[in-house]
Amino acid sequence: MKKFSALSILTEGLSGNKGWKPHWQSVDPKSQYEVVIIGGGGHGLATAYYLAKNHNITNVAVLEKNWIGSGNTGRNTTIVRSNYLLNESSRLYEHSLKLWEGLSKELNYNVMFSQRGVLNLAHSLQEIRDSKRRVFANKLNKIDAEWLDSNSVKKYCKIINTSKDSRYPILGATLQRRAGTARHDAVAWGFARAASNLGVDICENCEVTGLQIEKNKIVSINTTKGNINTKKIGIVVAGHGSVLARMAGIKLPLETHTLQALVSEPIKPILDCVVMSNAVHVYVSQSDKGELVIGAGIDSTNSYQQRGNFSIISGQMGSLLELFPIFSKLKMLRTWGGIVDVSPDASPIIGETPVKGVFFNGGWGTGGFKATPGSGWVFAHTIANNFPHKLADPFSLNRFYKGKLIDEHGAAAVAH
Amino acid sequence: MRINNSNSIDSSKVIKFYFNGKIYTAFEGDTIASSLISNGIFFTSRSIKYHRPRGVYSHSFEEPNSLFEVNSDETYEPNVLSTRENIYEGMKIKTINSWPSLNYDFFSFLTLLSNFLKAGFYYKTFFGSNYLWKNFFEPFLRKMAGFSKAPNKIDKFKYSKKHIKCDVLIVGCGPSGIAAALSLYKSNLKILMVDDDSSPGIKLNEPNEKEWFINTKKELGDKVEIYTNTTVFGAYADNYLTAVERINEKNNRNKLKTRLLLIRAKKVIFANGSIERPIVFPNNDRPGIFLSHSSTYYLNKFGVLLGKKFILFTNNDFAYADILNLQKNGSEIIAVIDVRQNLDGYLPKLAEAKGIKILKGFVISNTFGKKKIKSISVTSLANNRSYNLSCDCLLVSGGFSPSIHLHSQQGGDISYNHDICGFIPDKFINHQICIGSLVGKNSFIDCVESGINGGNYILNEFGFKGYLKPDLSEFKAIKYGKVIPFWAVDTNAKLESKSFVDLQNDTTIADIKVANLEGFRNPEHVKRYTLNGFGTDQGKTSGIISLGIISKEINQPIEKLKPTTYRSPFIPVTFGVLAGRQIRELSDPIRRTALNKCHEKLSAVFENVGQWKRPWFYPKVNEKIDQAIFRECLSVRNSVGILDASTLGKIMISGKDSLTLLNKVYTNNFSNLGIGKIKYGLLLKEDGMVFDDGTTTKLSENRYLMTTTTSNAALVLDWLEEWLQTEWTNLDVFLTSVTDHWAVITVSGPKSRHVISKLNPSISLDSEDFPFMSYRQVNLAGIACRVFRISFTGELSYEINIPWPNATYIWNKLLDAGSEYNITPYGTETMHVLRAEKGYPIIGQDTDGTINPIELGMGKLLSNKKDFLGKRSLSREFKSDKYFVGFKTIDPNLIIPEGAQIISLDRVLNNDKENLDNLLINGSLESEGYITSSYFSPILDHSIALGFLNSGKEKINTDEIFYATGDNNELIRTKIVSPVFYDEKGLRKDG
Ligand SMILES: Cc1cc2nc3c(=O)[nH]c(=O)nc-3n(C[C@H](O)[C@H](O)[C@H](O)COP(=O)(O)OP(=O)(O)OC[C@H]3O[C@@H](n4cnc5c(N)ncnc54)[C@H](O)[C@@H]3O)c2cc1C
């Protein structure tokens, strides 16, 4: 692997930029692997990387039906935070956040993790209660969390409208200063490069079309690039979790929806933090390129189309302009949708399945990007040891049978 | 340079405008671009990355270069595209991305560093230190990026929305669109046409074609509705198309800026044409270089010539029409550089016949001129020999790419067409067709025929017979020579860094090559890595070229590659128009109760509860919130209070299976509920968690009135409907929301009976005749009301349902009747305190969707005689032991913050300095519970709180001390008690 640094840019620049190497080797799959990861999104690639890095398992393939990062990894609004309410969630996401803090160096790839702070606004007395409960819970878990009243919100984010006579006035917000955003593509590419460098095969344009199960054990995988024998697979396909699980005869409690987002035309820096308002369904930050990145509420119909309905986009604009009246003349440049799998308690499902050798990691719904390194870390551990990592354990599939739900969404009502 | 006055501008109206502070003139009807060009201004901008001089490049939405800031007061607009915006008096146009001035730009040295700033350079560095990234590198990168400044003032423009339904929507009013309309207009179908331009057809050059176009439009008359200046930007499922109409400044009395058109069409005809693309060559970005067809546009529409001495660089015949048009208007044509060796088409021959020099098999190998093109180098493909030619305007045409965007937005298939070297729609989407140059038709006559046929086809679809077969013999079918695929001129590595594919993002051939070297070969990856196609023009000109370059690099035919996905919007659309009038107080509907005026008169302070405005409390003069609530609480407890409870959800349930429904959704059994009786019930979701609560009254046989919490009113109705419509379809039940049919006034307190009886002394209100949890139809002050004896305060209470229009009348009557008891209006806050004193949970405040009935202390409401929604989930293995309890602080005056977490320590804190932060030094702390409601109780003269605690049931009334987290990290000592703080025996409800 060619090490990236200012020096490499300099020497390559001087010699005509002819010596750059592919960041990852995109190869056709071999006929046998120790572990096969299905899904070349951030989570799948991170899993492969940590399998190789932490567990020394390098006979691994990542199968991606399109190009890596083509799923939700390359479509999300990139909010990274760990200030979740419930212990199970906040500990998992905090583990992930700690990994984010060293990720660029770890991968020798600038994933542009930008700890610019995330505000979660409260617009009603109930939201104040919920927010404070979350802040207090975070404090007990030693996760940085602050409650700001509306004046302090205004101080932290000068352009926000805290006027008392707005439709749903901002009454306060929680702030996590260590939270922020990252460059989504770079996360996929950086993990792919690092994994590829450790010997992992990255197979693009390779769609899994069937899973062969014998005696309740995985034996091989059918793909558009041939069959692969393996004893262990990790399914990490975001919006297609139920599709893949069904190939193994497993029915998962997942609902699939379209989630849309949009960007504005690039403008000079105006918004230095991330603002999330659950009550009015607006999530906004400004990318390093200058675009406002705005997330919408979920499309209510079930769908596998990466396209949503216009009413979701136009419907949120009034709310956005309530928060930021000065954005009215900015222009929407691009909208898109991703497919998200939502579990009954809106928390992910990580771990073993009823079929031996089939491991599942999905159901991250609208908010799994922030978990990318942490999810890969605990999933790799689970696959390598045939035993759930302790942070992943509460998220196992059997929680739905046992009834030990982790209803973060119900409790904290914060998406993304 | 303006040579004549076309009819698109009004030369009697001279307009003064400013460009970078200097004053210029133009005419009404001019765009910013035509105004600048007519004043000889070609160097208008700097590019984003290398700050290279740039100018207007095209004439419409494909424009990559000339974005401006307009004005600086409240009419300021960012990122204004010069080719789309009309000029107006006093307009102040300012260049972006240059400092200190357009001419002398500090950052123009960056072009020298281009070798170090290749695609993706920022992924490879800046990550040595988190601190430097956060405080230096990232802020710097951010500052360099972005175009205009964001506005800093409130938008004064107005926007609106219009919903349109039509039979046929024709997108595009060029020859093919107009021809389609011609086929259709005699039917009585409702036809809507939209065109992006203000003068569709303006690019037609041949007199007879122009005449046909004008006459046909006249013939269509008012049978078709035409929206010009209107761009369809989105195509969604089921022929739902979204367009934005730019309102003409001239007759715009309402100061409407733009309007959103939301169109639902039975059939859609896409006739939205194609976009000219350039050919890439070294230094192809200088001011004075234009897309070829733009020369015709500026000339025909504004009477503006782009120069005096023209050179054309082309790979196709169509561009010859532009150069012939220029020649006809007196311009000097230096040469045509045609990459093709053999030219057998009609137009090149005509050009040659008219004395135009054509260099066949030549390419442009470089251009010169610092801030405006001066000359070019041409090189023969045959023998590599080069020489220079001078010019002041260079036109470029690489052929036309169909505007497949709207078709593709819907997931429509596309395929590569070798005749035009571009992608065209393949299979049409249901109820849509594509016609004209969008499907690769070239000549006027082909487009018209394609339009006529398309129109006839749609006519047929609607069941009409009789086709239009117009005589088009007067139009000669021109023979066009073949377009050859030619995307970029081969050159050396150095000049590849100056060969711009995406002018807006400064993406060069060299960037795409580096990307390829680094393994980014899928067009989507190339786009993301090099930013090619990411600009405000969304790659309208650059997309296909980068595909051509990639195809060559990876040695795969272009037809095997897939262009990057097109997404809505086709053109950038302002947030303002998307929001339309749904801003500020209209951003979400406000719901007010029938008694709103009464509350205002009493100076109520309102609280948002869902969409409702509810009185929160009623301060008297100089009274603070705490004092008001203190007073309100004690009045209810000691005498009588009055509350507007209209917002509670009310659902009428009728039909012979009503009871079955109730028993399926409520956890408790409703079978034995008699007529006129009321029962409290809990609704669970499938996961067994409490979703809502309320009372249901049996009004008569098979008629029930269900109440819900205010916030969940709509959700509960939806929820019931969902079950009825999807799972229990055999039930005979009808649901009707009657929330705002009946206003609700609650009269509560020991004196409430006295107050009510004054409104109708003839009824007996004592508890024997009208017991708790029963309902009566009663006449009060002459109005037929429904009175329910339920209580959320624990006091004797009557909930009076009054027909909405009579609410104020009854409210005033009750105030009069109660004046001798000092009847006190109370708001939601007092209601919350009073119910908390009684330990009644509020669903949505004390519960959060993760609480089951057992944890809530309502296990006895779970029927074991019947099934109900959520029951199965409750039988799962895992049982939590958290429990709904009361918290009584050791210090009666300390109020625990709502949301506080509860911790338990294995020792008792010594002093108040031992706060949360100190404890956390030794590691994280386990939460034992949390507070959901917390108040100071006036009647108890003690702070009280409700919440959940692990093993809570066992802790009630023990001596164990727990600690609640305070707002300032202090820890508040508390004991655990029953959630019922007051009147534990429940004696007060009967007065
Ligand atoms: C609009 C939007 C906004 C979001 N915003 C945020 C946010 O702000 N913060 C946050 O934390 N999260 C956010 N999310 C969620 C987040 O994007 C996802 O949870 C996360 O990226 C999932 O990563 P992944 O690697 O599991 O999935 P993906 O990146 O979707 O990867 C799964 C891959 O599997 C591939 N695949 C599918 N089927 C097959 C098959 N049969 N064979 C082979 N490969 C297959 C897919 O092509 C895909 O590339 C958002 C999501 C969306 C859609």
Side-chain angles (χ1 to χ4, degrees):
Chain A
M1 182 173 83
K2 195 178 174 74
K3 261 250 182 266
F4 290 155
S5 65
L7 188 68
S8 71
I9 292 178
L10 193 69
T11 49
E12 274 303 323
L14 291 173
S15 60
N17 287 304
K18 293 269 185 279
W20 296 114
K21 294 272 160 351
H23 290 200
W24 66 92
Q25 300 294 339
S26 192
V27 297
D28 285 342
K30 297 188 294 220
S31 61
Q32 194 276 332
Y33 287 98
E34 187 177 343
V35 181
V36 174
I37 301 297
I38 305 172
H43 287 217
L45 294 161
T47 306
Y49 171 70
Y50 289 119
L51 273 174
K53 173 85 194 302
N54 294 356
H55 306 284
N56 220 359
I57 301 176
T58 55
N59 185 14
V60 176
V62 177
L63 311 183
E64 166 53 50
K65 72 170 171 188
N66 296 313
W67 32 282
I68 63 165
S70 58
N72 292 342
T73 297
R75 291 163 192 270
N76 78 95
T77 49
T78 80
I79 299 171
V80 175
R81 58 185 186 89
S82 68
N83 54 351
Y84 280 64
L85 171 70
L86 304 174
N87 287 342
E88 295 87 346
S89 335
S90 62
R91 287 169 192 169
L92 177 61
Y93 289 107
E94 177 63 14
H95 176 63
S96 192
L97 183 54
K98 292 220 170 84
L99 292 174
W100 277 109
E101 287 174 326
L103 198 60
S104 292
K105 253 196 228 163
E106 164 87 19
L107 300 178
N108 181 239
Y109 210 96
N110 192 352
V111 299
M112 304 193 182
F113 181 47
S114 171
Q115 293 182 289
R116 50 181 74 178
V118 171
L119 288 174
N120 291 95
L121 304 179
H123 299 268
S124 67
L125 299 176
Q126 185 56 39
E127 281 192 304
I128 295 181
R129 289 178 199 113
D130 292 339
S131 305
K132 286 193 171 176
R133 181 177 159 204
R134 198 157 43 76
V135 166
F136 285 128
N138 291 155
K139 282 192 178 161
L140 296 191
N141 278 317
K142 301 196 76 164
I143 291 169
D144 74 306
E146 286 163 59
W147 166 254
L148 306 184
D149 63 15
S150 79
N151 286 335
S152 314
V153 171
K154 181 82 186 167
K155 258 187 230 143
Y156 190 76
C157 178
K158 302 215 167 39
I159 57 168
I160 206 165
N161 171 23
T162 49
S163 147
K164 292 230 164 19
D165 38 60
S166 83
R167 177 66 185 91
Y168 292 113
I170 294 169
L171 305 179
T174 67
L175 168 63
Q176 184 176 26
R177 291 181 196 267
R178 284 163 61 234
T181 58
R183 172 92 183 97
H184 51 27
D185 290 328
V187 174
W189 302 340
F191 271 118
R193 174 166 166 270
S196 174
N197 184 49
L198 293 177
V200 170
D201 279 357
I202 298 190
C203 314
E204 295 177 272
N205 300 310
C206 177
E207 180 171 358
V208 173
T209 52
L211 298 174
Q212 298 311 320
I213 315 287
E214 278 168 24
K215 299 198 188 117
N216 203 37
K217 268 194 216 145
I218 181 82
V219 289
S220 69
I221 306 176
N222 313 112
T223 81
T224 49
K225 290 195 169 173
N227 295 344
I228 303 168
N229 295 328
T230 183
K231 294 207 172 82
K232 277 189 188 179
I233 65 167
I235 300 175
V236 206
V237 290
H240 289 84
S242 356
V243 180
L244 267 292
R246 207 178 302 131
M247 292 180 193
I250 305 165
K251 216 172 153 195
L252 291 176
L254 291 173
E255 281 195 42
T256 306
H257 293 266
T258 307
L259 179 68
Q260 299 185 76
L262 64 101
V263 292
S264 74
E265 286 186 350
I267 43 164
K268 290 289 173 206
I270 178 83
L271 181 61
D272 294 329
C273 60
V274 182
V275 176
M276 309 177 66
S277 168
N278 209 57
V280 298
H281 288 304
V282 172
Y283 316 92
V284 55
S285 64
Q286 188 176 20
S287 73
D288 286 349
K289 201 169 168 299
E291 300 166 327
L292 293 178
V293 182
I294 299 167
I298 203 163
D299 275 57
S300 52
T301 44
N302 294 132
S303 167
Y304 280 112
Q305 292 205 325
Q306 285 172 323
R307 291 188 299 278
N309 290 296
F310 182 68
S311 58
I312 301 282
I313 297 286
S314 62
Q316 77 173 133
M317 277 303 170
S319 312
L320 175 73
L321 298 185
E322 266 298 273
L323 298 182
F324 300 100
I326 59 166
F327 287 172
S328 177
K329 285 175 188 161
L330 301 183
K331 298 191 195 90
M332 172 170 92
L333 179 58
R334 203 164 55 240
T335 65
W336 65 91
I339 309 168
V340 298
D341 272 0
V342 185
S343 73
D345 60 2
S347 285
I349 301 170
I350 314 171
E352 295 154 294
T353 68
V355 179
K356 210 165 164 245
V358 176
F359 295 83
F360 185 84
N361 182 353
W364 291 91
T366 60
F369 177 70
K370 63 180 72 63
T372 305
S375 158
W377 182 286
V378 300
F379 196 43
H381 180 102
T382 305
I383 294 175
N385 297 303
N386 292 313
F387 193 79
H389 184 280
K390 83 175 184 315
L391 291 176
D393 195 28
F395 294 92
S396 69
L397 181 58
N398 69 13
R399 77 174 183 273
F400 299 107
Y401 301 100
K402 290 198 174 148
K404 197 169 185 333
L405 305 183
I406 309 170
D407 197 344
E408 182 73 32
H409 193 71
V414 183
H416 298 285
Chain B
M1 182 180 63
R2 186 143 4 222
I3 57 161
N4 60 35
N5 296 320
S6 87
N7 50 17
S8 291
I9 51 165
D10 183 348
S11 57
S12 69
K13 299 227 170 93
V14 177
I15 283 179
K16 287 204 270 318
F17 70 98
Y18 300 83
F19 178 63
N20 286 336
K22 264 206 208 140
I23 194 158
Y24 298 92
T25 61
F27 296 127
E28 187 152 311
D30 266 322
T31 59
I32 296 178
S34 69
S35 307
L36 292 173
I37 296 166
S38 69
N39 281 285
I41 301 168
F42 289 87
F43 172 26
T44 64
S45 318
R46 293 272 181 177
S47 68
I48 185 85
K49 188 167 170 187
Y50 299 128
H51 292 245
R52 286 171 62 97
R54 294 282 164 82
V56 177
Y57 184 69
S58 62
H59 62 271
S60 187
F61 39 63
E62 70 277 59
E63 173 64 28
N65 281 340
S66 57
L67 281 169
F68 298 112
E69 291 176 353
V70 166
N71 298 347
S72 53
D73 55 3
E74 65 191 22
T75 58
Y76 171 78
E77 285 180 77
N79 293 3
V80 173
L81 199 60
S82 71
T83 50
R84 317 267 303 157
E85 199 78 9
N86 279 7
I87 201 90
Y88 54 80
E89 183 65 34
M91 194 179 206
K92 294 190 177 64
I93 302 156
K94 200 172 151 272
T95 295
I96 51 187
N97 258 318
S98 50
W99 181 83
S101 75
L102 179 60
N103 256 319
Y104 304 99
D105 183 39
F106 176 74
F107 283 109
S108 52
F109 73 89
L110 285 172
T111 188
L112 302 173
L113 300 182
S114 75
N115 263 353
F116 310 106
L117 305 178
K118 283 276 161 311
F121 76 93
Y122 34 74
Y123 298 124
K124 300 172 186 164
T125 180
F126 303 139
F127 50 75
S129 140
N130 280 355
Y131 178 84
L132 286 181
W133 169 248
K134 180 166 177 185
N135 295 297
F136 181 69
F137 296 125
E138 185 177 42
F140 180 73
L141 285 179
R142 286 186 67 188
K143 226 178 230 143
M144 294 301 288
F147 298 109
S148 304
K149 293 190 303 283
N152 58 9
K153 297 199 174 65
I154 305 287
D155 189 355
K156 288 280 160 53
F157 293 133
K158 290 209 176 87
Y159 309 91
S160 74
K161 292 185 187 177
K162 183 175 181 179
H163 293 264
I164 307 177
K165 279 195 174 158
C166 62
D167 293 310
V168 187
L169 168 68
I170 305 176
V171 184
C173 299
S176 58
I178 288 289
L182 190 61
S183 293
L184 287 163
Y185 86 103
K186 283 190 181 141
S187 63
N188 55 2
L189 295 172
K190 184 174 173 192
I191 301 164
L192 187 75
M193 296 190 78
V194 295
D195 198 287
D196 166 78
D197 207 89
S198 57
S199 20
I202 195 77
K203 289 177 288 189
L204 290 172
N205 278 327
E206 293 299 318
N208 60 342
E209 296 173 358
K210 245 192 261 179
E211 199 184 306
W212 176 90
F213 187 85
I214 291 164
N215 289 341
T216 309
K217 249 179 92 178
K218 237 185 240 152
E219 188 180 336
L220 298 176
D222 53 11
K223 287 271 174 42
V224 286
E225 199 176 351
I226 301 187
Y227 283 85
T228 54
N229 265 324
T230 303
T231 315
V232 175
F233 65 83
Y236 294 85
D238 296 326
N239 277 357
Y240 188 62
L241 288 97
T242 54
V244 62
E245 180 190 8
R246 291 172 292 283
I247 310 285
N248 194 338
E249 292 282 329
K250 247 191 308 197
N251 36 31
N252 181 2
R253 259 175 268 118
N254 307 320
K255 277 273 168 247
L256 251 195
K257 177 97 179 148
T258 48
R259 179 158 64 172
L260 193 64
L261 305 183
L262 301 161
I263 307 165
R264 181 78 72 179
K266 287 194 184 132
K267 306 278 173 190
V268 176
I269 302 178
F270 285 115
N272 48 318
S274 49
I275 299 171
E276 191 168 25
R277 59 184 177 239
I279 298 172
V280 175
F281 48 86
N283 290 305
N284 59 333
D285 63 331
R286 299 190 192 282
I289 301 179
F290 289 87
L291 288 176
S292 171
H293 214 33
S294 298
S295 66
T296 297
Y297 186 86
Y298 285 106
L299 184 54
N300 291 7
K301 187 158 174 177
F302 307 107
V304 168
L305 275 176
L306 300 180
K308 289 190 184 117
K309 290 158 52 185
F310 288 88
I311 292 177
L312 167 68
F313 182 32
T314 183
N315 66 345
N316 64 73
D317 279 13
F318 318 119
Y320 284 85
D322 300 318
I323 212 90
L324 285 162
N325 190 34
L326 289 169
Q327 192 191 40
K328 203 159 60 191
N329 282 281
S331 300
E332 183 184 350
I333 312 299
I334 305 293
V336 175
I337 321 293
D338 200 319
V339 297
R340 299 171 298 178
Q341 195 57 255
N342 300 314
L343 303 180
D344 54 358
Y346 167 75
L347 289 173
K349 283 193 187 134
L350 183 64
E352 251 173 345
K354 301 230 170 188
I356 293 176
K357 180 160 110 189
I358 304 180
L359 298 172
K360 298 173 196 169
F362 271 81
V363 295
I364 297 184
S365 44
N366 209 346
T367 72
F368 309 95
K370 209 161 171 214
K371 289 170 182 170
K372 168 91 194 280
I373 183 112
K374 281 205 184 92
S375 65
I376 64 169
S377 258
V378 297
T379 301
S380 158
L381 288 172
N383 58 19
N384 243 355
R385 242 181 284 156
S386 305
Y387 60 96
N388 287 3
L389 293 169
S390 62
C391 64
D392 67 356
C393 180
L394 172 60
L395 302 179
V396 187
S397 177
F400 286 81
S401 304
S403 286
I404 54 177
H405 310 69
L406 295 170
H407 169 78
S408 301
Q409 275 181 23
Q410 307 164 81
D413 290 334
I414 53 171
S415 62
Y416 187 76
N417 177 305
H418 287 277
D419 292 337
I420 58 161
C421 303
F423 289 89
I424 60 170
D426 198 4
K427 267 180 284 157
F428 299 151
I429 304 214
N430 279 348
H431 306 294
Q432 299 183 355
I433 60 167
C434 302
I435 57 172
S437 70
L438 175 57
V439 290
K441 305 289 175 204
N442 289 325
S443 65
F444 174 80
I445 173 85
D446 284 352
C447 284
V448 169
E449 265 174 358
S450 149
I452 300 273
N453 295 340
N456 285 338
Y457 172 80
I458 294 290
L459 211 50
N460 193 27
E461 291 269 286
F462 276 103
F464 289 94
K465 303 250 150 47
Y467 295 115
L468 183 72
K469 281 199 199 82
D471 177 13
L472 299 168
S473 56
E474 66 162 306
F475 303 103
K476 49 181 187 259
I478 294 183
K479 175 180 167 22
Y480 285 107
K482 249 187 103 47
V483 184
I484 65 164
F486 195 91
W487 316 107
V489 174
D490 280 336
T491 184
N492 59 36
K494 198 166 155 223
L495 286 176
E496 275 172 351
S497 298
K498 305 272 184 289
S499 301
F500 293 89
V501 184
D502 183 329
L503 289 166
Q504 190 171 87
N505 285 309
D506 276 352
T507 309
T508 63
I509 295 181
D511 289 315
I512 295 179
K513 283 196 163 172
V514 165
N516 179 56
L517 202 59
E518 303 196 275
F520 296 92
R521 296 183 184 141
N522 184 303
E524 293 280 0
H525 273 157
V526 176
K527 174 176 173 183
R528 285 156 186 260
Y529 195 63
T530 65
L531 299 183
N532 193 83
F534 256 118
T536 60
D537 56 326
Q538 292 282 292
K540 291 200 173 61
T541 54
S542 62
I544 181 129
I545 299 194
S546 96
L547 211 59
I549 296 169
I550 296 168
S551 124
K552 196 169 152 198
E553 283 299 306
I554 64 174
N555 218 348
Q556 272 211 34
I558 191 166
E559 60 266 31
K560 288 264 161 67
L561 301 181
K562 234 177 93 193
T564 55
T565 316
Y566 294 107
R567 306 177 194 285
S568 170
F570 176 65
I571 57 160
V573 180
T574 52
F575 291 176
V577 75
L578 292 170
R581 294 190 180 162
Q582 280 136 285
I583 50 169
R584 270 161 266 171
E585 65 278 10
L586 298 182
S587 65
D588 200 32
I590 295 177
R591 299 178 80 186
R592 294 193 172 90
T593 73
L595 296 167
N596 196 65
K597 286 251 158 60
C598 305
H599 305 319
E600 281 174 358
K601 222 164 72 192
L602 292 162
S603 341
V605 175
F606 289 87
E607 177 196 6
N608 286 318
V609 182
Q611 292 175 323
W612 291 100
K613 294 277 182 195
R614 292 195 74 178
W616 187 18
F617 58 98
Y618 298 83
K620 298 232 153 126
V621 184
N622 291 333
E623 208 178 36
K624 297 230 171 59
I625 169 165
D626 292 351
Q627 296 166 320
I629 288 155
F630 202 87
R631 172 179 52 75
E632 290 174 15
C633 283
L634 289 179
S635 303
V636 177
R637 289 273 178 245
N638 296 329
S639 181
V640 60
I642 180 168
L643 170 87
D644 180 358
S646 305
T647 63
L648 277 190
K650 295 181 274 300
I651 301 169
M652 263 298 297
I653 302 176
S654 53
K656 69 177 183 352
D657 295 320
S658 302
L659 178 62
T660 313
L661 175 71
L662 292 174
N663 274 332
K664 278 173 180 285
V665 297
Y666 275 128
T667 61
N668 47 347
N669 200 337
F670 274 66
S671 302
N672 49 11
L673 187 66
I675 291 174
K677 293 288 185 223
I678 307 172
K679 200 161 192 164
Y680 173 82
L682 284 178
L683 300 174
L684 312 187
K685 283 257 157 126
E686 300 100 318
D687 61 4
M689 302 302 167
V690 177
F691 160 49
D692 203 53
D693 71 342
T695 60
T696 287
T697 304
K698 186 165 184 178
L699 300 174
S700 61
E701 210 46 59
N702 294 331
R703 281 176 76 237
Y704 294 84
L705 182 73
M706 175 189 269
T707 67
T708 72
T709 59
T710 298
S711 320
N712 280 341
L715 292 176
V716 171
L717 184 69
D718 283 356
W719 169 248
L720 298 178
E721 282 291 358
E722 187 179 329
W723 283 98
L724 284 174
Q725 291 178 28
T726 62
E727 301 290 335
W728 305 329
T729 51
N730 57 335
L731 293 192
D732 174 20
V733 183
F734 295 93
L735 305 176
T736 315
S737 166
V738 294
T739 303
D740 45 18
H741 298 192
W742 297 93
V744 180
I745 298 174
T746 301
V747 183
S748 185
K751 296 284 187 269
S752 54
R753 187 175 283 141
H754 302 275
V755 176
I756 308 276
S757 71
K758 280 176 141 182
L759 268 61
N760 185 349
S762 70
I763 48 169
S764 166
L765 292 173
D766 63 54
S767 287
E768 246 142 71
D769 291 336
F770 191 174
F772 188 59
M773 294 308 263
S774 65
Y775 139 86
R776 296 282 179 276
Q777 183 90 39
V778 178
N779 210 309
L780 291 182
I783 307 290
C785 299
R786 294 168 166 178
V787 182
F788 302 76
R789 260 208 65 197
I790 33 190
S791 176
F792 200 40
T793 60
E795 301 295 328
L796 174 68
S797 299
Y798 298 86
E799 286 200 358
I800 312 170
N801 285 17
I802 307 140
W804 199 263
N806 302 116
T808 309
Y809 171 73
I810 297 287
W811 174 270
N812 288 332
K813 284 277 172 208
L814 287 166
L815 286 187
D816 283 350
S819 63
E820 64 174 293
Y821 308 105
N822 196 15
I823 190 167
T824 303
Y826 65 100
T828 50
E829 190 63 24
T830 292
M831 175 183 86
H832 287 180
V833 178
L834 296 174
R835 64 84 209 182
E837 289 168 346
K838 287 292 298 168
Y840 300 145
I842 292 183
I843 304 304
Q845 174 169 339
D846 296 296
T847 69
D848 58 9
T850 69
I851 301 296
N852 69 33
I854 301 157
E855 294 157 348
L856 195 54
M858 295 202 189
K860 60 181 187 302
L861 287 184
L862 301 174
S863 167
N864 48 20
K865 297 216 176 71
K866 57 155 196 149
D867 197 8
F868 54 85
L869 276 181
K871 184 169 189 173
R872 192 186 56 165
S873 292
L874 293 175
S875 66
R876 287 184 287 195
E877 174 189 325
F878 174 75
K879 306 272 184 278
S880 97
D881 64 353
K882 67 181 168 200
Y883 200 75
F884 190 54
V885 296
F887 295 83
K888 218 161 178 179
T889 50
I890 305 296
D891 178 342
N893 293 317
L894 281 183
I895 301 172
I896 306 173
E898 288 174 337
Q901 297 285 338
I902 305 296
I903 53 178
S904 132
L905 296 173
D906 44 18
R907 63 191 170 95
V908 176
L909 286 193
N910 283 328
N911 57 52
D912 293 335
K913 290 213 182 73
E914 285 193 76
N915 66 19
L916 187 58
D917 281 343
N918 292 340
L919 293 179
L920 284 168
I921 292 173
N922 303 321
S924 57
L925 290 166
E926 222 33 70
S927 163
E928 292 296 330
Y930 57 95
I931 301 294
T932 55
S933 300
S934 181
Y935 313 93
F936 187 80
S937 161
I939 196 81
L940 300 170
D941 197 23
H942 202 293
S943 117
I944 58 168
L946 298 170
F948 288 87
L949 188 72
N950 295 341
S951 311
K953 205 168 181 178
E954 292 105 71
K955 306 285 178 191
I956 289 174
N957 293 334
T958 59
D959 280 340
E960 196 168 338
I961 304 257
F962 285 85
Y963 297 89
T965 54
D967 276 329
N968 301 309
N969 283 334
E970 77 279 22
L971 290 160
I972 302 169
R973 295 174 179 77
T974 177
K975 284 191 178 177
I976 310 305
V977 294
S978 149
V980 187
F981 293 92
Y982 183 64
D983 182 28
E984 231 168 304
K985 297 220 169 66
L987 301 174
R988 301 186 63 87
K989 65 177 190 301
D990 285 323

